[in-house]
Amino acid sequence: MEKLSNEMLRNKYIAQHINDINKLFDARLNRAGYDFLLQLEDMAHKKAEYWCDFSYTDEEREEYEQYILSLICDVLDIDAHDSIFFNSDPRGFALKIKDDFVRESKSNIYRDLGGYGIFAPDFAYLKHPITRDEVQV
């Protein structure tokens, strides 16, 4: 059996995640679209952090959420979907899929500890392997 490098394994996980999203939403997501979702996740997460430190109006929040959700639907090439939501808690992922929808669809999509589907996991733990030289004794 061939041993996969971390980068090869990360690409495999991303390809599987793209397939899971496409099945779940009958979407047309590709790798370029996934990379865009990663950027959206980063933007949305930074906004959630910002909102923890500064005040905002409900209108401002709703407007931003609708903007992000519309971009997700555009990249997936789907109409609006009730199961897609913006999580404003900055301790986790910002772009999520409702847990009951994931459970009912019997999807094996990447999830957080609460069972919510995650739109754009970066599989960061596979980006940088720890080598012997980096371990301090």
Side-chain angles (χ1 to χ4, degrees):
M1 182 178 214
E2 179 185 346
K3 184 171 178 161
L4 297 176
S5 70
N6 278 10
E7 189 60 27
M8 290 168 61
L9 190 57
R10 182 174 177 267
N11 286 329
K12 179 181 175 182
Y13 288 169
I14 289 171
Q16 182 58 51
H17 190 75
I18 290 169
N19 289 334
D20 289 340
I21 287 177
N22 285 338
K23 287 178 192 169
L24 197 57
F25 293 99
D26 193 25
R28 293 175 191 84
L29 184 64
N30 57 28
R31 181 59 192 253
Y34 184 79
D35 290 340
F36 181 70
L37 284 179
L38 286 171
Q39 292 174 3
L40 282 180
E41 171 64 39
D42 188 52
M43 283 175 36
H45 190 268
K46 286 178 181 169
K47 186 61 122 176
E49 287 176 340
Y50 177 83
W51 283 340
C52 279
D53 295 333
F54 302 98
S55 64
Y56 59 91
T57 65
D58 289 341
E59 184 179 300
E60 177 187 14
R61 178 188 161 131
E62 185 157 327
E63 188 176 296
Y64 186 79
E65 286 179 5
Q66 290 306 315
Y67 171 69
I68 292 291
L69 296 178
S70 70
L71 290 174
I72 291 172
C73 290
D74 286 349
V75 77
L76 296 179
D77 195 22
I78 64 171
D79 293 329
H81 201 286
D82 292 340
S83 297
I84 301 170
F85 73 99
F86 178 90
N87 176 36
S88 60
D89 184 343
R91 295 174 293 176
F93 289 96
L95 308 178
K96 293 190 177 185
I97 306 163
K98 291 184 179 176
D99 59 337
D100 56 342
F101 179 71
V102 172
R103 193 173 40 257
E104 289 168 9
S105 66
K106 297 183 180 6
S107 175
N108 196 28
I109 198 164
Y110 188 88
R111 302 175 200 193
D112 66 7
L113 292 175
Y116 295 99
I118 305 301
F119 260 104
D122 61 2
F123 302 102
Y125 62 93
L126 293 172
K127 282 184 177 178
H128 180 69
I130 297 174
T131 64
R132 276 183 113 68
D133 297 338
E134 294 174 308
V135 177
Q136 296 180 2
V137 182

